[in-house]
Amino acid sequence: MSSPKCAQKAPYPIEVEAGKSYWWCACGESKKQPFCDGSHKGTAFVPTEYKAEKTGQVWFCGCKAAVSAPLCDGTHKTL
Ligand code: FES
Ligand code: FES
């Protein structure tokens, strides 16, 4: 499987709402980062669901290399 494209070497801070689902772009091709816009079609990637447990800010991975994706875990610092 090919590697995802790095959208940016930093996370995206996003306000999420408890109980809502968010679809994180795993391929890096979306124009609506950090979320999927359907651009993964034709690749081996599919978006990853993130279900918010509480309302507040979370940091979605922008480099697409986080081990704990879809959230940033600091892996971008090693790229
Ligand atoms: Fe990247 Fe859908 S556009 S996973
Ligand atoms: Fe990908 Fe931080 S932005 S691990």
Side-chain angles (χ1 to χ4, degrees):
M1 182 159 133
S2 57
S3 306
K5 182 179 154 190
C6 174
Q8 67 172 26
K9 279 190 192 173
Y12 294 90
I14 302 285
E15 289 290 330
V16 297
E17 226 175 278
K20 240 181 119 178
S21 281
Y22 298 83
W23 294 91
W24 175 76
C25 167
C27 71
E29 301 288 351
S30 173
K31 302 277 181 290
K32 294 183 180 165
Q33 292 296 332
F35 303 120
C36 174
D37 69 354
S39 299
H40 62 270
K41 285 197 182 84
T43 74
F45 294 97
V46 290
T48 302
E49 182 179 14
Y50 174 79
K51 199 156 186 211
E53 284 174 11
K54 50 183 185 176
T55 298
Q57 183 173 277
V58 297
W59 297 81
F60 283 99
C61 171
C63 72
K64 311 303 176 185
V67 178
S68 62
L71 299 183
C72 172
D73 60 6
T75 301
H76 64 270
K77 292 182 193 135
T78 66
L79 301 177

